[in-house]
Amino acid sequence: MKFMKLGSKPDAFQVDGKCIRHVTSDLATDIIIKVGDLKFYLHKFPLLSKSNHMQKLVQKASEENCDEINMVDFPGGPNAFEICAKFCYGMAVTLNAYNVVAARCAAEYLEMTEDVDRGNLIFKIEVFLNSSIFHSWKDSIIVLRTAKSLLPWSENLKIVGRCIDSIASKTSVDPANITWSYTYNRKLSVQDKIVGDTMKLREKIESVPKDWWVEDICELEIDLYKRVMTAVKSKGRMDGAVIGEALKIYAVRWLPDSVDALVSSVHSWRNKLLVETIACLLPSDNGVGCSCSFLLKLLKVAVLAGMDDSSKEDLVKRISLKLHEASVKDLLIPARSPQTTLYDVGMVQSIVNQYMMHEQRSQDVEPGKSAGFVLGYGSLLSVGKLIDGYLGEIAHDPNLSLTSFIDLSCSVSELARPVHDGLYKAIDIYLKEHPSLTKAERKKICGLMDVKKLTMEASMHAAQNNRLPLRVVVQVLFFEQVKAATRAQSRNSDARTTCVSKMSPDEEWDKTMGEDCRSLKKKMSEDETNEDGGEKNSKMGKKKSKNSKNGVQLLPSRSRRIFDKLWVVGVGKGHMENRSSETSGSSQSSAVVVRDNTTKSSGIPSRHRRHSVS
């Protein structure tokens, strides 16, 4: 810390009780000056020789026959006046970063200019400020902090502006050229340098990082911090990532940790001002300089502190550009009244909508990129997984409406969900936490997922899930059986695999499903005709073994019971009809209808057609 000593005489000020200061001298004091709660018993001549304002006050007091002068609005208070008084007496005074601003404002108040005496206090303080204080990184910050309590004097004397310019200029200096000390509590990077080829001595050099300055200015109050950061950005030489890091550290330093503290009436105004200031200081590079997690934390504070909609919309746009970097925990934004849900689902819906708008806009600009746009296909997959995880979290909320759940689920592109396991998990949680859903509502929410996109593990769970409508369970069992048959056939027939690979996806699916339908129909027909004969059962076992060799796996017992209720083999016309209606476990589900045209001679189906279930 820089300092300057003024005067050479010993300090003759004495303390008499709590409210009196007097000068020890052979001469009696002839004037009393009251500053705040303290009274100073002094001599007129030393004061009048340095202060033009004291000459005016003493003259006025003489005209009023009064020997006491009261200074109510003295800047810096009694301590600052004592510095000025000691300077007038020629006593030793030490100025530093903590008292120089108060002394400068007090000297300005007393008009201690060069017109009154050469080498007066104002001149000496200005020399100290310009030659030492503003050249020191730490001292500039200390002076700026102390200047806060001396407004508007410090502002009018341009002390605040000069400090801000000094700080902003130093942040732009090449870190390799930094020679002054600074506070940096985080771990510095260390590099090993070999001094010479013939020397074995290794020196560890602590390199100065680009964001070396961000922690030091965190102690500034929000209004001064805003002015400093604005000046730093106006220089145009600071990287956006460093600006974002500075804002993040400041937010961590001043924002409360708990939600209760955020919404507290005592600090709500400060928190609102803080997040609004940080939001307006964010880099103008579409959020590249700030992490998505940090932006979402700001949005949480903005929602809880009641920030205006325009600022929140700006944060939403920034977050949408980096949504693929977020975590489920980051998206759990608490809802405020009058919302009844635990989390602000509407805010997340807005973020996702913005993200998909960016994706669609990118697709329009570069239509040749079908699987991934500017943000990349990997980013789209990350967003799909993120939203499915978020749906799983909010599904526990009993107040979450079915419409909100469905709208958020549908807002994500189909390309983002190649697998529907996460969506199935969220739907299952919602059904469990909302047992009062009607059959139509259960059918509607289950219609969000595509059972063909479930993995084997998810399909096994869904097949035994009593919360799902019966129609969905039937679909899961059917398509899992088709997948199993396809896998078995591909393993046993290389020629068939080659043939299938040349087909289009729709043709391959229709062919596989048709073969599986014929196997299932034949199996169920034999099952009905062989109920009463043990010998026929033996034949069935042989056919079962034969079918297994061909790669067609039979459904488990539960699926057979379901298909027995839904599918009945027709007699005389050679086709199957759906004869079952809704059961107690279904949600207005319709059965799958398979129609086959058979020849009279062999009874083997010649074609098939699958009707989708509405």
Side-chain angles (χ1 to χ4, degrees):
M1 181 183 293
K2 306 291 185 180
F3 63 90
M4 181 176 71
K5 288 185 177 181
L6 301 175
S8 58
K9 295 180 181 179
D11 188 355
F13 271 67
Q14 300 294 323
V15 178
D16 186 4
K18 294 182 179 180
C19 300
I20 296 177
R21 302 287 187 274
H22 64 86
V23 178
T24 302
S25 174
D26 295 336
L27 297 176
T29 59
D30 53 3
I31 188 173
I32 302 173
I33 299 178
K34 184 178 181 182
V35 181
D37 296 332
L38 291 183
K39 288 184 178 182
F40 293 86
Y41 289 80
L42 307 173
H43 302 89
K44 292 180 181 179
F45 178 73
L47 300 177
L48 299 180
S49 64
K50 300 287 185 182
S51 172
N52 187 35
H53 189 60
M54 283 300 303
Q55 295 176 10
K56 299 175 184 178
L57 292 177
V58 170
Q59 182 179 359
K60 183 178 180 181
S62 298
E63 294 174 355
E64 298 176 356
N65 295 323
C66 179
D67 58 355
E68 181 175 328
I69 298 175
N70 188 8
M71 297 183 181
V72 180
D73 56 346
F74 193 85
N79 293 333
F81 178 80
E82 186 173 339
I83 292 174
C84 295
K86 288 180 177 180
F87 176 81
C88 293
Y89 278 93
M91 299 178 186
V93 177
T94 300
L95 295 178
N96 54 46
Y98 289 100
N99 61 15
V100 67
V101 180
R104 176 66 181 86
C105 295
E108 187 71 21
Y109 181 91
L110 294 173
E111 299 178 12
M112 301 176 73
T113 63
E114 293 296 290
D115 297 338
V116 181
D117 186 39
R118 187 175 181 180
N120 213 339
L121 185 57
I122 290 178
F123 173 78
K124 292 185 179 294
I125 292 178
E126 284 296 328
V127 171
F128 179 53
L129 288 172
N130 294 324
S131 63
S132 298
I133 294 296
F134 296 143
H135 284 271
S136 170
W137 167 255
K138 283 187 174 181
D139 290 344
S140 297
I141 295 176
I142 293 172
V143 167
L144 184 58
R145 291 177 60 191
T146 58
K148 172 71 174 179
S149 61
L150 291 164
L151 295 174
W153 285 90
S154 59
E155 189 72 66
N156 295 334
L157 294 174
K158 302 187 184 305
I159 296 177
V160 174
R162 286 184 286 173
C163 281
I164 291 174
D165 186 66
S166 171
I167 294 170
S169 298
K170 289 178 175 59
T171 60
S172 303
V173 173
D174 186 355
N177 298 328
I178 293 176
T179 56
W180 56 81
S181 61
Y182 61 92
T183 302
Y184 194 77
N185 297 326
R186 288 170 291 175
K187 184 178 180 181
L188 299 177
S189 59
V190 178
Q191 296 177 347
D192 294 334
K193 180 180 179 181
I194 301 177
V195 178
D197 295 335
T198 60
M199 301 179 62
K200 296 182 179 180
L201 179 63
R202 301 178 68 86
E203 296 180 353
K204 291 184 178 180
I205 301 176
E206 293 184 345
S207 62
V208 178
K210 292 183 179 180
D211 61 346
W212 61 268
W213 52 273
V214 299
E215 287 188 349
D216 290 339
I217 65 173
C218 281
E219 298 304 317
L220 297 175
E221 294 189 24
I222 186 63
D223 52 344
L224 293 177
Y225 182 83
K226 180 180 180 180
R227 294 179 62 177
V228 170
M229 291 301 299
T230 302
V232 170
K233 293 177 65 178
S234 66
K235 300 289 183 182
R237 297 191 291 268
M238 190 59 61
D239 186 69
V242 180
I243 296 290
E245 180 69 10
L247 296 175
K248 178 181 177 181
I249 292 176
Y250 190 81
V252 172
R253 168 66 178 82
W254 290 102
L255 286 177
D257 297 331
S258 64
V259 175
D260 294 336
L262 283 172
V263 298
S264 171
S265 58
V266 179
H267 304 293
S268 60
W269 180 85
R270 189 197 69 178
N271 295 333
K272 180 181 178 181
L273 176 63
L274 178 61
V275 72
E276 286 179 346
T277 301
I278 294 177
C280 74
L281 290 174
L282 289 172
S284 57
D285 53 359
N286 292 329
V288 175
C290 299
S291 66
C292 187
S293 177
F294 170 61
L295 294 174
L296 280 166
K297 288 177 182 177
L298 284 182
L299 184 59
K300 289 181 183 180
V301 179
V303 172
L304 294 173
M307 196 169 70
D308 58 277
D309 293 338
S310 60
S311 299
K312 287 189 288 187
E313 288 175 2
D314 181 64
L315 285 174
V316 167
K317 291 180 181 178
R318 291 175 179 270
I319 293 168
S320 64
L321 293 172
K322 310 186 77 175
L323 183 59
H324 56 283
E325 298 178 2
S327 65
V328 174
K329 184 178 179 181
D330 294 332
L331 291 179
L332 298 179
I333 304 172
R336 289 199 66 181
S337 179
Q339 298 184 56
T340 58
T341 54
L342 293 175
Y343 303 109
D344 196 335
V345 182
M347 187 65 67
V348 177
Q349 179 78 60
S350 300
I351 296 173
V352 177
N353 290 341
Q354 286 282 346
Y355 174 84
M356 295 310 302
M357 285 175 59
H358 295 314
E359 285 285 298
Q360 186 61 45
R361 196 175 296 119
S362 301
Q363 185 185 23
D364 295 338
V365 173
E366 300 183 59
K369 296 185 178 181
S370 58
F373 315 129
V374 173
L375 295 180
Y377 186 53
S379 301
L380 193 62
L381 294 178
S382 298
V383 171
K385 185 177 180 181
L386 172 69
I387 298 305
D388 286 348
Y390 179 76
L391 288 170
E393 287 292 329
I394 64 175
H396 294 280
D397 187 358
N399 294 325
L400 178 66
S401 66
L402 181 64
T403 302
S404 298
F405 186 96
I406 293 177
D407 289 346
L408 181 57
S409 175
C410 294
S411 62
V412 181
S413 170
E414 284 297 323
L415 291 174
R417 286 196 184 103
V419 178
H420 278 207
D421 285 19
L423 181 59
Y424 164 67
K425 181 180 179 181
I427 292 173
D428 185 44
I429 294 174
Y430 192 88
L431 292 175
K432 182 179 179 181
E433 298 295 333
H434 301 77
S436 60
L437 291 177
T438 64
K439 291 182 179 181
E441 291 173 336
R442 283 153 52 91
K443 178 182 177 181
K444 189 174 183 180
I445 192 173
C446 288
L448 295 173
M449 64 177 176
D450 186 350
V451 296
K452 295 191 294 293
K453 294 183 179 182
L454 295 178
T455 62
M456 181 179 294
E457 292 78 9
S459 296
M460 291 176 62
H461 185 277
Q464 305 175 44
N465 193 343
N466 294 328
R467 288 184 288 272
L468 297 179
L470 181 60
R471 181 187 64 130
V472 177
V473 176
V474 171
Q475 289 177 333
V476 170
L477 291 170
F478 177 77
F479 289 118
E480 192 58 37
Q481 184 74 4
V482 172
K483 292 177 185 177
T486 303
R487 287 192 295 267
Q489 291 170 3
S490 63
R491 286 195 301 266
N492 297 332
S493 178
D494 294 336
R496 184 176 180 183
T497 301
T498 304
C499 181
V500 170
S501 64
K502 295 179 180 179
M503 296 181 181
S504 66
D506 292 338
E507 292 173 342
E508 180 180 351
W509 179 260
D510 291 339
K511 181 176 181 181
T512 304
M513 186 188 66
E515 292 174 354
D516 202 48
C517 286
R518 290 194 293 271
S519 298
L520 291 174
K521 186 185 74 170
K522 184 176 181 181
K523 173 65 184 68
M524 288 185 291
S525 300
E526 293 172 347
D527 212 9
E528 282 193 4
T529 56
N530 296 334
E531 284 181 352
D532 300 328
E535 184 178 352
K536 293 181 179 181
N537 288 337
S538 177
K539 294 180 180 180
M540 177 64 70
K542 294 180 180 179
K543 293 182 179 180
K544 176 180 179 183
S545 176
K546 183 178 180 181
N547 287 339
S548 297
K549 292 180 181 180
N550 291 333
V552 181
Q553 300 178 6
L554 299 180
L555 294 173
S557 59
R558 183 188 177 197
S559 65
R560 290 171 59 189
R561 289 195 300 269
I562 293 174
F563 277 106
D564 286 344
K565 293 180 180 180
L566 297 179
W567 290 355
V568 178
V569 179
V571 179
K573 293 183 179 181
H575 65 85
M576 291 185 296
E577 293 180 343
N578 174 23
R579 295 175 54 190
S580 66
S581 59
E582 293 178 352
T583 63
S584 59
S586 67
S587 175
Q588 298 179 358
S589 60
S590 303
V592 178
V593 180
V594 180
R595 297 183 180 178
D596 298 279
N597 294 328
T598 60
T599 61
K600 294 181 181 180
S601 59
S602 62
I604 299 176
S606 61
R607 62 176 181 175
H608 69 276
R609 182 176 59 189
R610 175 170 59 92
H611 294 267
S612 61
V613 182
S614 60

